[in-house]
Amino acid sequence: MISKYVFGQPVETGAAVMEVPECTQPLSLMQTEQTPEGVRFFCGMDRMDVVYGLGEQMRGINKRGFSYISYATDDPVHTESRHALYGGHNFLILSRRNLPSFGVFVDDPGRVVFDVGETKLDRLEITASCDCVLYVIEGDSLNDIAGQFRKLVGRSYIAPKWAFGYQQSRWGYTNEADVCTVVNGYHGCGIPLDAVYLDIDYMENYKDFTVDRERFPDFAGLVASMKEQGVHLVPIIDAGVKVEPGYPVYDEGVANNYFCKEEDGTDFTGAVWPGRSHFPDVLNSAAREWFGSKYQWLIDQGIDGFWNDMNEPSVFYSEKRLKSIMDEVLSMKEEHPDMHSFWLLKDKLGSLANNRDDYKSFYHNMDGVKVCHDKVHNLYGYHMTKAAAEAFDRIVPDRRILLFSRSSYIGMHRYGGIWTGDNASWWSHLLLSIQQMPSLNLCGILYTGSDIGGFGCDATQDLLMRWLEFGIFTPLMRNHAAFGTREQEVYQFENIGDFRNIIRIRYGLVPYLYSEYMKAALTDGLYFRPLAFDYPADAHAPKVEDQLMVGESIMIAPVYTQNADGRYVYLPQDMLMVRMKSLEERHCEVLKKGHHYVDVALNEVVFFVKKGCMLPMAVLDENIKSIEGIDASGYEWIGFADDTAEYVLYDDDGLSKEYVPRSEWKKVTMVMAGAGTVNVRC
């Protein structure tokens, strides 16, 4: 049951697609009060209660014990002290041990604070603006509550099948030769590869929808050549448009008032990669259609995948704020500042980027209604990606395009996925990635993953290998690194054969991973789940913070600590442990319910199969280069049951939007003589 409560005059965000009548009865599961900041919702929590959700945030799967701020922020330092990251994902589930559990969605695109037991251990407190919509969802189980929310906000984005292959990116592929070097590096080692990414260096002076012709003299030819090798090129698109008369995107935006405005009606100017930049007013339908139409030029070059970036929006500085601070600096030119003045000056310089005062100073024209950006801040990345997706529906209506974004709000999950932003090559960030996946799935974001190996800092061989062993289960499997860091394409390291085997295991698992993704998308289910969602009666399951259910058959327990040669694993039931060093080298063993220490070699993938379940694995040709090379005519199956195991297989052409109706999904049943495994080709 979904109850809807309306406060003030909320902005229509488009997050919800289901019509829910406004509830006239008082809110019973939470209390409300008016505060100077807005509306506060609160309720008590027992000691054993667990809070799931909030999408892309720091800390664990259980969000208790900290405060989280929903206010999209370009902050690359992802430490436990951070309260906000790149998105606004305002949905949580309070799982209560002694009372019925319920879900809460706060539809407010401005700043929302979730105090999940930080101020008071036994109190959940949410502070939103005076203009918001609150949805309260009651259900029979955690999965039921999650499913109702997913129906409320609509079907998740579905990527093309090739986007489930291994992908390589780096800020620093500056020319055609760099791209060819990467592709040859992978194929020369016999490692399949489905995509190479182009960061800001492919553009002419960082201008959107341009290509530097000196570094990429025949861009369309390069795109075509890569596709012949099974590799898709995926360029970045940034939010800021360079201020440069004669640049068509700038000229058209100015002429048609398509950019965000200062209060006096002049175009807001901030600095990002191109220098002085304007920002498309993507909350305006005409501007959104115009900006989306610009993607066609790249599609005409053969591009079929994009990643939208810098769309919180990131603002390095605004001209007016820079001037104010520079005036202060110049006033101190002849002085020797005391320590108080020095630290004050340092803090002011550090506050130039992504300052909320700047966000409060410019405005959107939401189809005739002037709205301060700060009030709708979390919608910007969502609507930038919506602009692209709506354009794709016009340009290539029957074909899927890869599309994901850095910033997002609930609702954007219908148009694209996300990656989790500028993480670092830290072991703690590998654990963080594991913990973010189910939280993002709860908010509808299924196509997601982190920068494998870490974006910032230098990846070590063992960290990259362990990250890949987790990354083979994430829909987006992209290795991405920053300019100036160690080159972390897998062929740059020793023991290339081990990396090759791990990536080939991913391709072997694609029939299962793609099937489970599609079933989750088409039935409003969850691809990643905390253990408690599958084992609600198990008192240990809610305490497990580093194991995940993946689809209907698999549980994973990745190794995420330096120098570890294994880890402790909790099995909520008897399970089949599958140990793989390659597709060909596979060992299966039944483990009983309970706690186990499991040895996991550095070059080994280990996962667990639930009893009564099975999964398909592709039989790969030795020379497979991409997803296109997977033979779908026959799979090997791994299963575990006393008598029979069943699996419902989904497959399609991987490109069209005509999805297979549920009545035609294929049920496969294996009959087993006693407890054990089946490993047959059929």
Side-chain angles (χ1 to χ4, degrees):
M1 182 178 73
I2 303 177
S3 302
K4 176 182 178 180
Y5 303 88
V6 179
F7 298 84
Q9 297 180 312
V11 171
E12 175 53 58
T13 66
V17 297
M18 177 191 295
E19 289 293 332
V20 178
E22 182 179 347
C23 188
T24 58
Q25 300 298 316
L27 179 59
S28 60
L29 291 172
M30 303 188 79
Q31 296 177 269
T32 65
E33 64 182 13
Q34 294 290 330
T35 74
E37 294 83 20
V39 184
R40 180 172 296 147
F41 311 99
F42 58 93
C43 67
M45 295 187 292
D46 288 342
R47 186 175 63 88
M48 299 302 292
D49 290 351
V50 177
V51 176
Y52 298 104
L54 296 182
E56 183 184 42
Q57 278 289 1
M58 296 300 302
R59 304 205 175 204
I61 293 174
N62 181 0
K63 292 298 188 288
R64 286 193 68 165
F66 198 57
S67 289
Y68 308 89
I69 299 174
S70 178
Y71 197 79
T73 304
D74 175 12
D75 184 348
V77 184
H78 303 175
T79 59
E80 287 191 27
S81 61
R82 295 309 195 257
H83 295 267
L85 291 177
Y86 304 95
H89 306 136
N90 303 347
F91 175 65
L92 60 80
I93 295 177
L94 175 56
S95 174
R96 302 195 288 186
R97 185 165 184 174
N98 299 315
L99 291 169
S101 302
F102 63 93
V104 176
F105 170 41
V106 183
D107 194 4
D108 180 349
R111 188 176 187 269
V112 181
V113 178
F114 296 85
D115 186 336
V116 191
E118 181 185 42
T119 304
K120 294 182 179 180
L121 285 173
D122 61 352
R123 180 177 167 110
L124 168 64
E125 188 174 288
I126 305 169
T127 304
S129 73
C130 296
D131 303 306
C132 65
V133 179
L134 179 76
Y135 294 90
V136 177
I137 306 174
E138 300 171 76
D140 297 330
S141 66
L142 299 179
N143 280 310
D144 180 37
I145 293 168
Q148 289 187 65
F149 174 70
R150 296 283 304 287
K151 287 181 172 60
L152 172 69
V153 298
R155 177 190 288 176
S156 297
Y157 161 78
I158 295 175
K161 188 185 288 187
W162 63 260
F164 289 78
Y166 179 70
Q167 307 176 41
Q168 181 62 56
S169 181
R170 181 178 177 84
W171 174 17
Y173 298 154
T174 60
N175 54 43
E176 183 174 315
D178 288 343
V179 173
C180 294
T181 296
V182 171
V183 174
N184 293 337
Y186 276 98
H187 287 172
C189 296
I191 301 174
L193 178 69
D194 269 88
V196 172
Y197 284 71
L198 301 177
D199 212 313
I200 54 177
D201 300 299
Y202 82 93
M203 303 179 194
E204 178 190 311
N205 297 323
Y206 308 127
K207 292 186 291 187
D208 280 341
F209 312 113
T210 67
V211 171
D212 188 309
R213 293 300 184 184
E214 290 187 8
R215 289 177 285 161
F216 295 89
D218 181 10
F219 188 71
L222 176 64
V223 174
S225 173
M226 289 295 106
K227 280 190 178 178
E228 289 176 1
Q229 301 177 64
V231 176
H232 301 255
L233 293 188
V234 183
I236 197 170
I237 302 294
D238 282 350
V241 172
K242 183 176 176 62
V243 173
E244 180 181 280
Y247 166 39
V249 180
Y250 167 77
D251 290 342
E252 292 171 20
V254 170
N256 293 283
N257 286 314
Y258 286 152
F259 294 125
C260 296
K261 303 291 185 183
E262 298 274 7
E263 190 168 13
D264 64 4
T266 59
D267 291 326
F268 171 76
T269 302
V272 277
W273 295 118
R276 298 178 70 243
S277 302
H278 294 333
F279 296 85
D281 186 359
V282 288
L283 275 65
N284 176 275
S285 58
R288 189 165 60 247
E289 181 177 357
W290 163 75
F291 190 76
S293 70
K294 297 301 172 185
Y295 287 78
Q296 179 160 1
W297 183 79
L298 285 164
I299 290 175
D300 290 344
Q301 308 302 303
I303 294 296
D304 51 9
F306 299 89
W307 51 311
N308 287 343
D309 197 8
M310 307 295 287
N311 54 358
E312 291 70 34
S314 181
V315 180
F316 294 167
Y317 61 83
S318 68
E319 291 185 328
K320 54 183 179 292
R321 186 168 182 80
L322 179 63
K323 182 180 184 303
S324 172
I325 290 178
M326 290 305 296
D327 287 344
E328 289 190 51
V329 172
L330 291 173
S331 72
M332 300 170 63
K333 183 172 61 173
E334 304 300 332
E335 301 176 10
H336 296 284
D338 59 26
M339 294 311 297
H340 174 76
S341 299
F342 168 76
W343 287 109
L344 183 64
L345 179 62
K346 184 175 182 294
D347 288 344
K348 284 184 175 292
L349 290 171
S351 72
L352 272 173
N354 308 309
N355 191 283
R356 192 177 177 193
D357 287 342
D358 286 333
Y359 293 139
K360 291 179 178 179
S361 74
F362 68 89
Y363 292 80
H364 297 276
N365 172 11
M366 292 186 70
D367 297 341
V369 179
K370 184 178 179 180
V371 179
C372 177
H373 173 81
D374 183 64
K375 185 177 176 67
V376 292
H377 173 71
N378 290 331
L379 293 183
Y380 196 88
Y382 162 16
H383 282 263
M384 178 185 174
T385 299
K386 182 180 179 181
E390 289 176 335
F392 301 157
D393 286 341
R394 298 189 299 268
I395 300 166
V396 283
D398 300 323
R399 188 175 55 166
R400 297 180 228 171
I401 300 289
L402 172 61
L403 179 63
F404 60 95
S405 171
R406 190 170 73 180
S407 185
S408 62
Y409 182 76
I410 288 173
M412 198 210 78
H413 70 284
R414 300 192 298 272
Y415 302 101
I418 72 163
W419 89 103
T420 58
D422 295 345
N423 60 3
S425 299
W426 300 343
W427 289 94
S428 62
H429 278 185
L430 170 51
L431 173 60
L432 176 63
S433 178
I434 295 166
Q435 294 170 331
Q436 286 176 328
M437 294 300 108
S439 301
L440 286 164
N441 274 206
L442 278 173
C443 294
I445 301 165
L446 298 186
Y447 190 79
T448 186
S450 62
D451 285 345
I452 290 174
F455 177 70
C457 307
D458 293 331
T460 60
Q461 179 168 324
D462 56 343
L463 174 62
L464 179 58
M465 194 165 289
R466 289 300 193 197
W467 212 316
L468 284 165
E469 289 162 10
F470 166 63
I472 64 175
F473 297 98
T474 59
L476 171 61
M477 187 188 184
R478 182 179 76 151
N479 179 337
H480 183 42
F483 179 79
T485 64
R486 178 181 186 177
E487 294 179 336
Q488 65 186 49
E489 300 83 8
V490 302
Y491 57 78
Q492 306 281 5
F493 295 87
E494 296 177 344
N495 303 320
I496 295 174
D498 291 338
F499 285 107
R500 177 179 182 270
N501 287 335
I502 291 169
I503 293 172
R504 281 175 58 85
I505 290 171
R506 162 62 171 223
Y507 281 78
L509 284 167
V510 161
Y512 174 77
L513 302 177
Y514 183 73
S515 178
E516 292 305 302
Y517 181 94
M518 293 300 295
K519 289 188 290 186
L522 296 173
T523 65
D524 300 313
L526 300 174
Y527 175 87
F528 284 117
R529 300 178 305 284
L531 268 60
F533 280 61
D534 283 35
Y535 302 95
D538 189 319
H540 291 287
K543 303 174 185 178
V544 178
E545 287 277 307
D546 56 1
Q547 299 172 208
L548 300 176
M549 310 307 300
V550 182
E552 68 182 53
S553 302
I554 286 179
M555 184 188 79
I556 61 172
V559 176
Y560 55 86
T561 51
Q562 185 174 344
N563 299 321
D565 57 6
R567 56 159 292 171
Y568 285 95
V569 177
Y570 174 66
L571 301 184
Q573 67 174 104
D574 294 356
M575 289 188 174
L576 178 72
M577 180 174 67
V578 182
R579 187 183 293 277
M580 304 178 71
K581 288 191 174 180
S582 69
L583 282 174
E584 298 74 29
E585 189 177 351
R586 183 187 311 161
H587 174 73
C588 297
E589 177 185 356
V590 176
L591 298 182
K592 294 294 185 181
K593 173 182 176 178
H595 299 273
H596 300 265
Y597 184 84
V598 176
D599 293 315
V600 185
L602 181 59
N603 61 347
E604 193 169 43
V605 175
V606 174
F607 60 89
F608 303 85
V609 179
K610 294 169 63 175
K611 197 167 189 178
C613 295
M614 56 193 230
L615 65 143
M617 292 199 69
V619 180
L620 301 185
D621 182 270
E622 183 66 23
N623 298 313
I624 184 174
K625 290 187 175 182
S626 68
I627 289 279
E628 292 178 358
I630 293 178
D631 180 4
S633 64
Y635 299 136
E636 290 185 338
W637 293 82
I638 300 174
F640 173 41
D642 288 333
D643 42 26
T644 61
E646 291 186 346
Y647 184 75
V648 176
L649 176 69
Y650 178 96
D651 198 16
D652 59 24
D653 65 9
L655 192 59
S656 75
K657 296 179 179 178
E658 292 296 323
Y659 307 118
V660 179
R662 197 165 183 175
S663 61
E664 297 180 22
W665 298 357
K666 300 178 179 66
K667 179 183 283 189
V668 182
T669 303
M670 290 290 180
V671 180
M672 303 180 188
T677 69
V678 59
N679 185 1
V680 298
R681 186 168 187 187
C682 67

mmCIF file with all atom_site columns, all heavy atoms in Angstrom, residues 143-159:
data_model
loop_
_atom_site.group_PDB
_atom_site.id
_atom_site.type_symbol
_atom_site.label_atom_id
_atom_site.label_alt_id
_atom_site.label_comp_id
_atom_site.label_asym_id
_atom_site.label_entity_id
_atom_site.label_seq_id
_atom_site.pdbx_PDB_ins_code
_atom_site.Cartn_x
_atom_site.Cartn_y
_atom_site.Cartn_z
_atom_site.occupancy
_atom_site.B_iso_or_equiv
_atom_site.pdbx_formal_charge
_atom_site.auth_seq_id
_atom_site.auth_comp_id
_atom_site.auth_asym_id
_atom_site.auth_atom_id
_atom_site.pdbx_PDB_model_num
ATOM 1   N N   . ASN A 1 143 ? 11.157 -7.201  0.021   1.00 0.00 ? 143 ASN A N   1
ATOM 2   C CA  . ASN A 1 143 ? 11.064 -7.270  -1.436  1.00 0.00 ? 143 ASN A CA  1
ATOM 3   C C   . ASN A 1 143 ? 9.753  -6.685  -1.943  1.00 0.00 ? 143 ASN A C   1
ATOM 4   O O   . ASN A 1 143 ? 9.720  -6.052  -3.003  1.00 0.00 ? 143 ASN A O   1
ATOM 5   C CB  . ASN A 1 143 ? 11.221 -8.720  -1.901  1.00 0.00 ? 143 ASN A CB  1
ATOM 6   C CG  . ASN A 1 143 ? 12.672 -9.167  -1.932  1.00 0.00 ? 143 ASN A CG  1
ATOM 7   O OD1 . ASN A 1 143 ? 13.525 -8.480  -2.487  1.00 0.00 ? 143 ASN A OD1 1
ATOM 8   N ND2 . ASN A 1 143 ? 12.964 -10.303 -1.320  1.00 0.00 ? 143 ASN A ND2 1
ATOM 9   N N   . ASP A 1 144 ? 8.670  -6.891  -1.197  1.00 0.00 ? 144 ASP A N   1
ATOM 10  C CA  . ASP A 1 144 ? 7.375  -6.340  -1.588  1.00 0.00 ? 144 ASP A CA  1
ATOM 11  C C   . ASP A 1 144 ? 7.406  -4.815  -1.532  1.00 0.00 ? 144 ASP A C   1
ATOM 12  O O   . ASP A 1 144 ? 6.929  -4.134  -2.448  1.00 0.00 ? 144 ASP A O   1
ATOM 13  C CB  . ASP A 1 144 ? 6.279  -6.889  -0.674  1.00 0.00 ? 144 ASP A CB  1
ATOM 14  C CG  . ASP A 1 144 ? 4.903  -6.346  -1.025  1.00 0.00 ? 144 ASP A CG  1
ATOM 15  O OD1 . ASP A 1 144 ? 4.624  -6.159  -2.231  1.00 0.00 ? 144 ASP A OD1 1
ATOM 16  O OD2 . ASP A 1 144 ? 4.106  -6.093  -0.104  1.00 0.00 ? 144 ASP A OD2 1
ATOM 17  N N   . ILE A 1 145 ? 7.972  -4.251  -0.473  1.00 0.00 ? 145 ILE A N   1
ATOM 18  C CA  . ILE A 1 145 ? 8.079  -2.788  -0.362  1.00 0.00 ? 145 ILE A CA  1
ATOM 19  C C   . ILE A 1 145 ? 8.934  -2.234  -1.496  1.00 0.00 ? 145 ILE A C   1
ATOM 20  O O   . ILE A 1 145 ? 8.575  -1.238  -2.144  1.00 0.00 ? 145 ILE A O   1
ATOM 21  C CB  . ILE A 1 145 ? 8.672  -2.404  1.009   1.00 0.00 ? 145 ILE A CB  1
ATOM 22  C CG1 . ILE A 1 145 ? 7.697  -2.777  2.125   1.00 0.00 ? 145 ILE A CG1 1
ATOM 23  C CG2 . ILE A 1 145 ? 9.000  -0.916  1.069   1.00 0.00 ? 145 ILE A CG2 1
ATOM 24  C CD1 . ILE A 1 145 ? 8.298  -2.700  3.518   1.00 0.00 ? 145 ILE A CD1 1
ATOM 25  N N   . ALA A 1 146 ? 10.074 -2.885  -1.759  1.00 0.00 ? 146 ALA A N   1
ATOM 26  C CA  . ALA A 1 146 ? 10.946 -2.441  -2.845  1.00 0.00 ? 146 ALA A CA  1
ATOM 27  C C   . ALA A 1 146 ? 10.231 -2.524  -4.184  1.00 0.00 ? 146 ALA A C   1
ATOM 28  O O   . ALA A 1 146 ? 10.335 -1.611  -5.021  1.00 0.00 ? 146 ALA A O   1
ATOM 29  C CB  . ALA A 1 146 ? 12.220 -3.278  -2.870  1.00 0.00 ? 146 ALA A CB  1
ATOM 30  N N   . GLY A 1 147 ? 9.487  -3.609  -4.421  1.00 0.00 ? 147 GLY A N   1
ATOM 31  C CA  . GLY A 1 147 ? 8.771  -3.766  -5.684  1.00 0.00 ? 147 GLY A CA  1
ATOM 32  C C   . GLY A 1 147 ? 7.694  -2.717  -5.873  1.00 0.00 ? 147 GLY A C   1
ATOM 33  O O   . GLY A 1 147 ? 7.493  -2.205  -6.980  1.00 0.00 ? 147 GLY A O   1
ATOM 34  N N   . GLN A 1 148 ? 6.970  -2.376  -4.796  1.00 0.00 ? 148 GLN A N   1
ATOM 35  C CA  . GLN A 1 148 ? 5.951  -1.327  -4.901  1.00 0.00 ? 148 GLN A CA  1
ATOM 36  C C   . GLN A 1 148 ? 6.589  0.021   -5.251  1.00 0.00 ? 148 GLN A C   1
ATOM 37  O O   . GLN A 1 148 ? 6.053  0.785   -6.061  1.00 0.00 ? 148 GLN A O   1
ATOM 38  C CB  . GLN A 1 148 ? 5.193  -1.204  -3.585  1.00 0.00 ? 148 GLN A CB  1
ATOM 39  C CG  . GLN A 1 148 ? 4.257  -2.343  -3.267  1.00 0.00 ? 148 GLN A CG  1
ATOM 40  C CD  . GLN A 1 148 ? 3.432  -2.034  -2.031  1.00 0.00 ? 148 GLN A CD  1
ATOM 41  O OE1 . GLN A 1 148 ? 2.615  -1.115  -2.024  1.00 0.00 ? 148 GLN A OE1 1
ATOM 42  N NE2 . GLN A 1 148 ? 3.665  -2.797  -0.969  1.00 0.00 ? 148 GLN A NE2 1
ATOM 43  N N   . PHE A 1 149 ? 7.736  0.318   -4.620  1.00 0.00 ? 149 PHE A N   1
ATOM 44  C CA  . PHE A 1 149 ? 8.420  1.569   -4.939  1.00 0.00 ? 149 PHE A CA  1
ATOM 45  C C   . PHE A 1 149 ? 8.865  1.595   -6.392  1.00 0.00 ? 149 PHE A C   1
ATOM 46  O O   . PHE A 1 149 ? 8.711  2.611   -7.087  1.00 0.00 ? 149 PHE A O   1
ATOM 47  C CB  . PHE A 1 149 ? 9.622  1.777   -4.022  1.00 0.00 ? 149 PHE A CB  1
ATOM 48  C CG  . PHE A 1 149 ? 10.442 2.976   -4.394  1.00 0.00 ? 149 PHE A CG  1
ATOM 49  C CD1 . PHE A 1 149 ? 9.945  4.261   -4.208  1.00 0.00 ? 149 PHE A CD1 1
ATOM 50  C CD2 . PHE A 1 149 ? 11.697 2.840   -4.969  1.00 0.00 ? 149 PHE A CD2 1
ATOM 51  C CE1 . PHE A 1 149 ? 10.680 5.376   -4.576  1.00 0.00 ? 149 PHE A CE1 1
ATOM 52  C CE2 . PHE A 1 149 ? 12.444 3.943   -5.333  1.00 0.00 ? 149 PHE A CE2 1
ATOM 53  C CZ  . PHE A 1 149 ? 11.929 5.214   -5.129  1.00 0.00 ? 149 PHE A CZ  1
ATOM 54  N N   . ARG A 1 150 ? 9.389  0.474   -6.863  1.00 0.00 ? 150 ARG A N   1
ATOM 55  C CA  . ARG A 1 150 ? 9.844  0.413   -8.250  1.00 0.00 ? 150 ARG A CA  1
ATOM 56  C C   . ARG A 1 150 ? 8.678  0.620   -9.218  1.00 0.00 ? 150 ARG A C   1
ATOM 57  O O   . ARG A 1 150 ? 8.839  1.245   -10.274 1.00 0.00 ? 150 ARG A O   1
ATOM 58  C CB  . ARG A 1 150 ? 10.542 -0.925  -8.511  1.00 0.00 ? 150 ARG A CB  1
ATOM 59  C CG  . ARG A 1 150 ? 11.836 -1.117  -7.692  1.00 0.00 ? 150 ARG A CG  1
ATOM 60  C CD  . ARG A 1 150 ? 12.985 -0.324  -8.286  1.00 0.00 ? 150 ARG A CD  1
ATOM 61  N NE  . ARG A 1 150 ? 13.149 -0.705  -9.663  1.00 0.00 ? 150 ARG A NE  1
ATOM 62  C CZ  . ARG A 1 150 ? 13.667 -1.856  -10.078 1.00 0.00 ? 150 ARG A CZ  1
ATOM 63  N NH1 . ARG A 1 150 ? 14.075 -2.745  -9.186  1.00 0.00 ? 150 ARG A NH1 1
ATOM 64  N NH2 . ARG A 1 150 ? 13.774 -2.128  -11.351 1.00 0.00 ? 150 ARG A NH2 1
ATOM 65  N N   . LYS A 1 151 ? 7.515  0.115   -8.886  1.00 0.00 ? 151 LYS A N   1
ATOM 66  C CA  . LYS A 1 151 ? 6.337  0.360   -9.728  1.00 0.00 ? 151 LYS A CA  1
ATOM 67  C C   . LYS A 1 151 ? 5.926  1.827   -9.673  1.00 0.00 ? 151 LYS A C   1
ATOM 68  O O   . LYS A 1 151 ? 5.484  2.407   -10.674 1.00 0.00 ? 151 LYS A O   1
ATOM 69  C CB  . LYS A 1 151 ? 5.176  -0.541  -9.305  1.00 0.00 ? 151 LYS A CB  1
ATOM 70  C CG  . LYS A 1 151 ? 5.348  -2.012  -9.695  1.00 0.00 ? 151 LYS A CG  1
ATOM 71  C CD  . LYS A 1 151 ? 4.153  -2.840  -9.277  1.00 0.00 ? 151 LYS A CD  1
ATOM 72  C CE  . LYS A 1 151 ? 4.243  -4.257  -9.853  1.00 0.00 ? 151 LYS A CE  1
ATOM 73  N NZ  . LYS A 1 151 ? 5.446  -4.977  -9.403  1.00 0.00 ? 151 LYS A NZ  1
ATOM 74  N N   . LEU A 1 152 ? 6.087  2.439   -8.503  1.00 0.00 ? 152 LEU A N   1
ATOM 75  C CA  . LEU A 1 152 ? 5.753  3.856   -8.349  1.00 0.00 ? 152 LEU A CA  1
ATOM 76  C C   . LEU A 1 152 ? 6.595  4.728   -9.264  1.00 0.00 ? 152 LEU A C   1
ATOM 77  O O   . LEU A 1 152 ? 6.083  5.679   -9.871  1.00 0.00 ? 152 LEU A O   1
ATOM 78  C CB  . LEU A 1 152 ? 5.958  4.271   -6.887  1.00 0.00 ? 152 LEU A CB  1
ATOM 79  C CG  . LEU A 1 152 ? 5.831  5.763   -6.573  1.00 0.00 ? 152 LEU A CG  1
ATOM 80  C CD1 . LEU A 1 152 ? 4.382  6.229   -6.738  1.00 0.00 ? 152 LEU A CD1 1
ATOM 81  C CD2 . LEU A 1 152 ? 6.326  6.066   -5.157  1.00 0.00 ? 152 LEU A CD2 1
ATOM 82  N N   . VAL A 1 153 ? 7.886  4.414   -9.392  1.00 0.00 ? 153 VAL A N   1
ATOM 83  C CA  . VAL A 1 153 ? 8.795  5.293   -10.128 1.00 0.00 ? 153 VAL A CA  1
ATOM 84  C C   . VAL A 1 153 ? 9.113  4.806   -11.539 1.00 0.00 ? 153 VAL A C   1
ATOM 85  O O   . VAL A 1 153 ? 9.778  5.510   -12.301 1.00 0.00 ? 153 VAL A O   1
ATOM 86  C CB  . VAL A 1 153 ? 10.104 5.519   -9.336  1.00 0.00 ? 153 VAL A CB  1
ATOM 87  C CG1 . VAL A 1 153 ? 9.801  6.209   -8.018  1.00 0.00 ? 153 VAL A CG1 1
ATOM 88  C CG2 . VAL A 1 153 ? 10.846 4.202   -9.092  1.00 0.00 ? 153 VAL A CG2 1
ATOM 89  N N   . GLY A 1 154 ? 8.652  3.609   -11.922 1.00 0.00 ? 154 GLY A N   1
ATOM 90  C CA  . GLY A 1 154 ? 8.748  3.194   -13.315 1.00 0.00 ? 154 GLY A CA  1
ATOM 91  C C   . GLY A 1 154 ? 9.922  2.299   -13.632 1.00 0.00 ? 154 GLY A C   1
ATOM 92  O O   . GLY A 1 154 ? 10.883 2.170   -12.868 1.00 0.00 ? 154 GLY A O   1
ATOM 93  N N   . ARG A 1 155 ? 9.826  1.674   -14.805 1.00 0.00 ? 155 ARG A N   1
ATOM 94  C CA  . ARG A 1 155 ? 10.802 0.673   -15.242 1.00 0.00 ? 155 ARG A CA  1
ATOM 95  C C   . ARG A 1 155 ? 12.203 1.248   -15.365 1.00 0.00 ? 155 ARG A C   1
ATOM 96  O O   . ARG A 1 155 ? 12.417 2.340   -15.891 1.00 0.00 ? 155 ARG A O   1
ATOM 97  C CB  . ARG A 1 155 ? 10.385 0.100   -16.598 1.00 0.00 ? 155 ARG A CB  1
ATOM 98  C CG  . ARG A 1 155 ? 11.389 -0.897  -17.179 1.00 0.00 ? 155 ARG A CG  1
ATOM 99  C CD  . ARG A 1 155 ? 11.082 -1.266  -18.612 1.00 0.00 ? 155 ARG A CD  1
ATOM 100 N NE  . ARG A 1 155 ? 9.909  -2.116  -18.708 1.00 0.00 ? 155 ARG A NE  1
ATOM 101 C CZ  . ARG A 1 155 ? 9.377  -2.522  -19.862 1.00 0.00 ? 155 ARG A CZ  1
ATOM 102 N NH1 . ARG A 1 155 ? 9.921  -2.141  -21.011 1.00 0.00 ? 155 ARG A NH1 1
ATOM 103 N NH2 . ARG A 1 155 ? 8.312  -3.284  -19.863 1.00 0.00 ? 155 ARG A NH2 1
ATOM 104 N N   . SER A 1 156 ? 13.161 0.456   -14.927 1.00 0.00 ? 156 SER A N   1
ATOM 105 C CA  . SER A 1 156 ? 14.558 0.865   -15.010 1.00 0.00 ? 156 SER A CA  1
ATOM 106 C C   . SER A 1 156 ? 15.064 0.790   -16.453 1.00 0.00 ? 156 SER A C   1
ATOM 107 O O   . SER A 1 156 ? 14.600 -0.026  -17.257 1.00 0.00 ? 156 SER A O   1
ATOM 108 C CB  . SER A 1 156 ? 15.427 -0.023  -14.115 1.00 0.00 ? 156 SER A CB  1
ATOM 109 O OG  . SER A 1 156 ? 15.066 0.122   -12.766 1.00 0.00 ? 156 SER A OG  1
ATOM 110 N N   . TYR A 1 157 ? 16.030 1.644   -16.724 1.00 0.00 ? 157 TYR A N   1
ATOM 111 C CA  . TYR A 1 157 ? 16.705 1.702   -18.024 1.00 0.00 ? 157 TYR A CA  1
ATOM 112 C C   . TYR A 1 157 ? 17.299 0.345   -18.400 1.00 0.00 ? 157 TYR A C   1
ATOM 113 O O   . TYR A 1 157 ? 17.827 -0.381  -17.552 1.00 0.00 ? 157 TYR A O   1
ATOM 114 C CB  . TYR A 1 157 ? 17.796 2.764   -17.949 1.00 0.00 ? 157 TYR A CB  1
ATOM 115 C CG  . TYR A 1 157 ? 18.866 2.662   -19.001 1.00 0.00 ? 157 TYR A CG  1
ATOM 116 C CD1 . TYR A 1 157 ? 18.636 3.114   -20.299 1.00 0.00 ? 157 TYR A CD1 1
ATOM 117 C CD2 . TYR A 1 157 ? 20.119 2.124   -18.694 1.00 0.00 ? 157 TYR A CD2 1
ATOM 118 C CE1 . TYR A 1 157 ? 19.631 3.031   -21.263 1.00 0.00 ? 157 TYR A CE1 1
ATOM 119 C CE2 . TYR A 1 157 ? 21.116 2.052   -19.652 1.00 0.00 ? 157 TYR A CE2 1
ATOM 120 C CZ  . TYR A 1 157 ? 20.866 2.500   -20.932 1.00 0.00 ? 157 TYR A CZ  1
ATOM 121 O OH  . TYR A 1 157 ? 21.852 2.417   -21.878 1.00 0.00 ? 157 TYR A OH  1
ATOM 122 N N   . ILE A 1 158 ? 17.219 0.021   -19.677 1.00 0.00 ? 158 ILE A N   1
ATOM 123 C CA  . ILE A 1 158 ? 17.774 -1.226  -20.197 1.00 0.00 ? 158 ILE A CA  1
ATOM 124 C C   . ILE A 1 158 ? 18.875 -0.896  -21.213 1.00 0.00 ? 158 ILE A C   1
ATOM 125 O O   . ILE A 1 158 ? 18.618 -0.245  -22.229 1.00 0.00 ? 158 ILE A O   1
ATOM 126 C CB  . ILE A 1 158 ? 16.679 -2.101  -20.832 1.00 0.00 ? 158 ILE A CB  1
ATOM 127 C CG1 . ILE A 1 158 ? 15.686 -2.544  -19.743 1.00 0.00 ? 158 ILE A CG1 1
ATOM 128 C CG2 . ILE A 1 158 ? 17.283 -3.309  -21.547 1.00 0.00 ? 158 ILE A CG2 1
ATOM 129 C CD1 . ILE A 1 158 ? 14.491 -3.317  -20.263 1.00 0.00 ? 158 ILE A CD1 1
ATOM 130 N N   . ALA A 1 159 ? 20.068 -1.334  -20.904 1.00 0.00 ? 159 ALA A N   1
ATOM 131 C CA  . ALA A 1 159 ? 21.223 -1.071  -21.765 1.00 0.00 ? 159 ALA A CA  1
ATOM 132 C C   . ALA A 1 159 ? 21.305 -2.117  -22.873 1.00 0.00 ? 159 ALA A C   1
ATOM 133 O O   . ALA A 1 159 ? 20.758 -3.215  -22.751 1.00 0.00 ? 159 ALA A O   1
ATOM 134 C CB  . ALA A 1 159 ? 22.504 -1.112  -20.931 1.00 0.00 ? 159 ALA A CB  1
#
